Amino acid sequence: AHVITDQSTGLARHICCHLLGAAVRAHGKSASLIAPNSSAQQDLLASAMASSLIKADDYTCVESHGTGTTLGDPIEVAALNAAILNGRASHTAAVAVGGGKANYGHAEPAAGAEGVLKMLDAVQRRQAPPNALLRALNPHARAALAKQDALIP
């Protein structure tokens, strides 16, 4: 975090975060209209990582969509495993994995903005925010994360 002073007004602005990269992608062909596509999600994550120049070992927190379904959660976790978690050195700290739906419900087009805002909160607090409405982790997602150094706050 740092402070920038506006030369014309003399007002100081506190900057807590810089967006280093971004990526947008439709989920592509999948089993149904609402089912996620793991390979499309892997491509999205790889594209975002490439545009930001951030490597897998640099991640401490990831905000996912968090579908809350027995179909969607394992697909999303598999994409996260393939794109980020499997590429991390074993000595790095666990990655906190959050899910937007566990905090705000189904946001559809606002899901990306929700993720950015939640990560800003994490940066300011230096702690991954909890998944407020999460009561029980999907057993398929738990199994997919079992071999990874990841945690669900």
Side-chain angles (χ1 to χ4, degrees), residues 31-116:
S32 73
L33 178 63
I34 58 171
N37 177 315
S38 186
S39 62
Q41 289 189 2
Q42 289 174 42
D43 292 345
L44 173 71
L45 291 168
S47 178
M49 289 171 64
S51 77
S52 68
L53 303 177
I54 295 176
K55 296 186 178 6
D57 282 342
D58 297 328
Y59 282 83
T60 57
C61 190
V62 175
E63 180 66 9
S64 65
H65 182 59
T67 65
T69 66
T70 55
L71 173 66
D73 285 348
I75 292 172
E76 193 167 5
V77 169
L80 181 63
N81 279 343
I84 298 174
L85 298 176
N86 289 341
R88 292 170 54 82
S90 61
H91 67 277
T92 57
V95 174
V97 180
K101 280 189 176 179
N103 290 297
Y104 306 107
H106 193 41
E108 273 188 36
E114 177 278 326
V116 170

